[in-house]
Amino acid sequence: MLDDFMTRATLAGVGVAFAAAPLGCFVVWRRMAYFGDATAHAAILGVALSLTFQMSIFTGALAVALIMALAVTLLAGRGYAMDTLLGVMAHSALAFGLVAVSFLSGVRIDLMAYLFGDILAVSRADLAVIWGGAALVVALIAWRWSRLLTATLNEELAYASGFDPKREQLVLTLSLAVTVAVAIKVVGVLLIAAMLIIPAAAARNLARSPESMAAIAAAIGAVSAVAGLRAAYVFDTPAGPSIVCVAAVLFAFLSLVGWQTRSGA
């Protein structure tokens, strides 16, 4: 079964969708879209370091994405606006990563595969990493779900409930770094933020509760992965961008349905 590259690609896309869905909901609620983008851009530097030190791509991307996320969290509120800080760090990390890749001698690297993903080249080992990372993210978010929701709604309420909201921010930071690391092979660093945000934003039009929004976002992400791969096969288009295009179409459709429903009410 797993000898079929389309089967592996489909399983990889669904795995990334399951990891990104609950995390994407918090990204949307907290308005952290640029934060996810900055962490994803940093992964290119991780790819360069992985190739330099002959480590796995997952290890290097995870390490650098986590360092970036922690650095942004620690530096926030120290004289710079969050969007300014994220802009500087995101584009700096991407530039340093691209320059570092150019210095790699004797190593052939398909940079487009890391920028836009190469889901059709996913191996069995990649599948194990993707689903292992997805399981870790889902378990971590489920474990901290109520506290994450409380901290997202109101930091003062979190303190009153007896826990530090900054600790919950750290949980999101760790989860985001893991998601970026597992998704880099599927949709690439330039499209990871799209898979975090678009399914969650689309689910917002249908959800009646935070839990249902996460579940619907996972379903939309999975449908986008399957339909996007099918479209890429039929129309001979890039797989990663095709998945994001399907997600965008679903977002537009569900937004229109939600707007008409609210207008009718």
Side-chain angles (χ1 to χ4, degrees):
M1 176 181 173
L2 293 183
D3 290 334
D4 186 348
F5 74 96
M6 284 298 290
T7 300
R8 294 196 300 271
T10 301
L11 290 173
V14 172
V16 169
F18 285 167
L23 186 58
C25 292
F26 285 102
V27 169
V28 169
W29 292 330
R30 287 171 170 254
R31 299 180 181 179
M32 293 171 57
Y34 210 5
F35 186 84
D37 210 25
T39 308
H41 284 178
I44 281 292
L45 181 57
V47 170
L49 293 176
S50 297
L51 295 173
T52 301
F53 296 105
Q54 298 182 342
M55 302 183 298
S56 71
I57 298 298
F58 172 79
T59 302
L62 176 61
V64 175
L66 186 56
I67 290 171
M68 165 66 82
L70 290 173
V72 171
T73 301
L74 292 174
L75 292 175
R78 299 195 177 185
Y80 294 98
M82 178 61 83
D83 59 345
T84 301
L85 185 62
L86 287 172
V88 170
M89 298 192 72
H91 298 299
S92 298
L94 180 60
F96 277 113
L98 294 175
V99 170
V101 167
S102 70
F103 280 111
L104 296 175
S105 59
V107 177
R108 296 188 62 184
I109 175 173
D110 182 6
L111 195 56
M112 294 294 287
Y114 294 108
L115 291 176
F116 297 103
D118 191 11
I119 191 173
L120 298 180
V122 167
S123 65
R124 293 189 179 195
D126 293 328
L127 269 182
V129 170
I130 290 169
W131 278 91
L136 176 62
V137 169
V138 170
L140 195 58
I141 296 297
W143 174 44
R144 311 293 293 187
W145 181 260
S146 61
R147 292 193 173 195
L148 285 168
L149 277 179
T150 303
T152 298
L153 291 171
N154 192 301
E155 288 192 359
E156 286 74 18
L157 181 59
Y159 282 118
S161 299
F163 61 90
D164 187 354
K166 290 185 174 57
R167 184 183 305 157
E168 308 313 312
Q169 174 69 35
L170 189 60
V171 171
L172 285 178
T173 297
L174 175 62
S175 301
L176 184 60
V178 173
T179 301
V180 167
V182 300
I184 190 172
K185 190 72 176 282
V186 178
V187 291
V189 298
L190 297 183
L191 300 177
I192 289 173
M195 287 304 293
L196 281 169
I197 298 166
I198 296 177
R204 199 170 192 173
N205 296 291
L206 301 177
R208 301 289 183 181
S209 66
E211 292 79 9
S212 65
M213 181 171 165
I216 294 171
I220 292 173
V223 169
S224 300
V226 175
L229 282 170
R230 180 61 181 172
Y233 179 79
V234 172
F235 299 109
D236 193 24
T237 54
S242 296
I243 292 172
V244 177
C245 285
V246 171
V249 170
L250 289 174
F251 168 75
F253 174 73
L254 293 175
S255 296
L256 180 61
V257 170
W259 178 78
Q260 289 180 337
T261 301
R262 289 190 294 271
S263 299

